[in-house]
Amino acid sequence: MPSEHFSGHTLTKVKNLVKKGVAAPVVYRDKDTTGLAIKVTKTGASWYYSTRDANLQIAPFSSFGLDDLGILRELVTELRKESKKGRNLETLIHSFAAGHSVTDSRHLHDVSHGDGVTWEVGRDFYLEWCAANRNKDTARGYRSALGATAGLSEDFAPIHGKPLASIITADLARVRNNIIARGKSGDAKGQGIRQADLTVSAIKAAFKYFVNNPNFGVTKNPATELSKSLERPTVIEGSEKVRALTQIEIGALWYALEACPNETARLVLQLQLLTGQRRFTATSARKRDFQVDGVYDCIWGMEDKVHHWRKMALPAVATGVVKQALRLASNQPQSDYLFPKQRPRRTGDDMNRHINERTVSEALEDMRKPGGIFEKMPFNVSTHDLRKAFTSVMRPKMSRFMIAGRPMVPDEVEMITHANEGRESVSQLVYDRNTYLDVKMEILTFWQDYVMEGYRLFCQQLDVKAAA
């Protein structure tokens, strides 16, 4: 068995032997790296990992040449290390022969032995963590943004099946660029850039989780240097039609809600409209969050999506909505929620959950169907438009209200709409326990009157049409 430092001369000898043919196998062993060998037989030649304990074919001789000696030696060094651990070497050898680098092959090998995970496995672990530790809407958005649903799955082809530890920034940039390219070919220009930016944010959050979980085998965060789209978003075609609901359209919405067949969904939408909150804030409200026997008719204490608590005093119409919801909820005493789950998902379901957010959205989406109040709207009205309407109307009117002896400024509309209630400093957030119930009551009463006036105007419009 010849033993020599493998070089171009060695490879030439092997080629000549293959051409001539051999009666018995001939094995060349590399003096430079113990375990690297070339075996020549009657049928041809192959690269081998050959030691006292193992004799494994790496690839046909023609698969690698003189320039590949370095990576072959690197591979054999890894094989020796893994062999000492008593591990099966098939994945490491097969992935290398399939064209993977030694590093990527090692990561695939680690995954096969439980020392790492692939992108899909890590992503699903992260989404499971998100569902338990983040707002439901955030978790749902991340599922789409990370390619776990049909919409973006093909865009993630550069990292499909790839070990997390093998993913580099360039791979993630290709995913981002795939989304942008697909958006350019679609009808809504600029959508791809916005979606790509959402995906970049989700990827950064996911890799922060991976790096801090030692079981995933990720030691370096490839998303750190990943930037959002390098292109400037174009204007969406038809974006000039996207606007806030007008007062009479808000009145039309209230009119349509009165005929909504799902009373619980109606009450959720009415409460959201009258308070300018997110859909999830309303649907996830618990019975214990409402105080209806104090100085104010009703005080709502709510936990927002970032787990900050705040309180609001509700005016008469919103209070009526809450009291009606409490009466309905009394039929399901086992549920802690103001708007309880409406049907069991499985046998033995304890039903202690809130109404599905999609059920609420569908009640509003029905108004966009033929014959619905919003059938001819130039844009698709959604639950978030209720929040937009509140902010759009009340922001320029904030100077009507006083706080600490001064007129409020437009940005202080966040007192109603955001978790921090307009507070900016850490000191304010931690120590300022003033809930400004009187000011909030004034703001929400003004908004309630605006909504009810829109309802009156819409009904008046209907009467005029009926009389014509």
Side-chain angles (χ1 to χ4, degrees):
M1 292 186 182
S3 180
E4 58 184 87
H5 291 285
F6 280 1
S7 63
H9 180 62
T10 307
L11 304 191
T12 301
K13 285 196 295 184
V14 171
K15 291 175 184 176
N16 291 336
L17 275 178
V18 171
K19 287 179 183 178
K20 293 177 182 178
V22 294
V26 177
V27 178
Y28 290 90
R29 296 184 180 279
D30 186 20
K31 284 185 176 181
D32 183 274
T33 304
T34 302
L36 179 59
I38 303 171
K39 185 176 182 180
V40 185
T41 65
K42 293 179 181 179
T43 56
S46 297
W47 295 94
Y48 267 78
Y49 168 66
S50 180
T51 66
R52 184 181 303 170
D53 302 316
N55 191 39
L56 303 173
Q57 184 185 37
I58 296 173
F61 177 73
S62 59
S63 298
F64 300 100
L66 179 62
D67 293 338
D68 300 314
L69 281 175
I71 58 172
L72 283 164
R73 286 167 174 152
E74 184 183 349
L75 171 69
V76 168
T77 300
E78 288 294 330
L79 289 169
R80 287 206 313 270
K81 290 178 184 177
E82 294 304 301
S83 180
K84 288 179 181 178
K85 298 176 184 177
R87 288 181 165 181
N88 187 297
L89 305 177
E90 284 188 8
T91 301
L92 186 50
I93 291 175
H94 291 167
S95 57
F96 178 79
H100 293 283
S101 67
V102 175
T103 299
D104 286 351
S105 298
R106 183 177 66 249
H107 290 150
L108 287 166
H109 171 78
D110 289 342
V111 167
S112 71
H113 290 90
D115 289 343
V117 297
T118 60
W119 160 251
E120 285 79 5
V121 174
R123 176 200 65 196
D124 291 346
F125 270 117
Y126 174 64
L127 291 173
E128 185 177 327
W129 178 86
C130 267
N133 296 278
R134 292 290 181 265
N135 173 268
K136 265 183 126 178
D137 285 341
T138 300
R140 184 184 295 113
Y142 275 13
R143 283 189 63 80
S144 171
L146 293 174
T149 56
L152 301 184
S153 58
E154 293 184 7
D155 297 320
F156 281 77
I159 56 176
H160 280 169
K162 199 165 187 178
L164 289 178
S166 291
I167 294 174
I168 60 175
T169 306
D171 296 327
L172 301 177
R174 290 187 184 98
V175 171
R176 177 200 64 203
N177 293 346
N178 285 345
I179 298 171
I180 294 171
R182 181 170 51 77
K184 286 181 178 178
S185 63
D187 295 330
K189 305 302 182 184
Q191 289 279 25
I193 291 175
R194 270 177 294 278
Q195 181 60 68
D197 287 348
L198 288 172
T199 291
V200 167
S201 296
I203 285 174
K204 284 178 176 290
F207 269 93
K208 184 177 180 180
Y209 170 78
F210 299 151
V211 168
N212 285 281
N213 189 323
N215 296 325
F216 291 167
V218 181
T219 57
K220 183 179 179 181
N221 188 344
T224 301
E225 300 300 321
L226 180 67
S227 70
K228 293 186 176 181
S229 173
L230 303 178
E231 302 178 47
R232 178 174 297 179
T234 56
V235 177
I236 300 177
E237 185 177 345
S239 62
E240 71 280 357
K241 298 177 182 177
V242 180
R243 54 171 175 75
L245 294 171
T246 64
Q247 184 175 22
I248 201 164
E249 287 167 348
I250 293 169
L253 169 61
W254 192 271
Y255 177 87
L257 283 174
E258 290 186 332
C260 179
N262 188 328
E263 186 172 11
T264 301
R266 168 175 66 80
L267 292 170
V268 173
L269 289 168
Q270 286 180 329
L271 184 61
Q272 185 192 359
L273 174 61
L274 289 169
T275 59
Q277 302 305 304
R278 293 181 175 87
R279 177 187 63 174
F280 181 76
T281 304
T283 56
S284 62
R286 296 175 185 262
K287 299 172 189 174
R288 65 170 181 260
D289 297 342
F290 296 88
Q291 177 188 342
V292 292
D293 55 358
V295 175
Y296 291 95
D297 289 339
C298 181
I299 293 178
W300 182 8
M302 63 190 74
E303 185 181 16
D304 217 301
K305 66 183 291 185
V306 290
H307 308 298
H308 285 157
W309 283 88
R310 55 204 171 107
K311 292 183 181 293
M312 288 199 304
L314 303 185
V317 180
T319 296
V321 169
V322 170
K323 289 183 175 179
Q324 175 61 11
L326 286 170
R327 282 191 289 272
L328 287 178
S330 66
N331 296 325
Q332 288 183 235
Q334 76 278 17
S335 178
D336 297 329
Y337 292 89
L338 179 68
F339 304 109
K341 188 175 183 177
Q342 296 193 310
R343 59 183 64 86
R345 292 184 61 182
R346 61 185 181 278
T347 303
D349 192 335
D350 65 6
M351 298 293 286
N352 191 19
R353 289 290 298 164
H354 56 75
I355 187 173
N356 191 307
E357 298 102 301
R358 282 301 308 152
T359 302
V360 176
S361 292
E362 286 165 4
L364 195 147
E365 289 163 8
D366 285 342
M367 301 178 194
R368 305 191 320 228
K369 295 178 179 178
I373 205 78
F374 292 135
E375 175 190 0
K376 297 182 180 179
M377 284 289 285
F379 61 95
N380 288 331
V381 180
S382 67
T383 56
H384 212 58
D385 284 297
L386 279 58
R387 184 171 168 84
K388 289 177 185 175
F390 175 85
T391 301
S392 300
V393 171
M394 297 307 298
R395 181 181 169 84
K397 291 182 168 60
M398 292 304 292
S399 60
R400 294 170 177 258
F401 310 103
M402 302 291 290
I403 189 169
R406 63 166 176 80
M408 298 181 74
V409 297
D411 285 350
E412 287 177 316
V413 73
E414 293 185 359
M415 172 178 281
I416 303 294
T417 59
H418 284 69
N420 63 10
E421 303 181 280
R423 296 177 173 91
E424 297 178 354
S425 70
V426 174
S427 177
Q428 285 177 312
L429 289 170
V430 174
Y431 296 110
D432 184 358
R433 298 294 91 186
N434 190 340
T435 55
Y436 301 104
L437 290 178
D438 52 347
V439 179
K440 292 175 185 175
M441 174 64 94
E442 284 188 61
I443 295 169
L444 290 176
T445 300
F446 182 95
W447 171 246
Q448 171 190 279
D449 293 344
Y450 183 89
V451 172
M452 292 298 105
E453 176 63 10
Y455 173 62
R456 186 191 67 78
L457 291 172
F458 181 75
C459 290
Q460 187 180 68
Q461 186 182 81
L462 290 180
D463 291 341
V464 170
K465 288 181 180 179

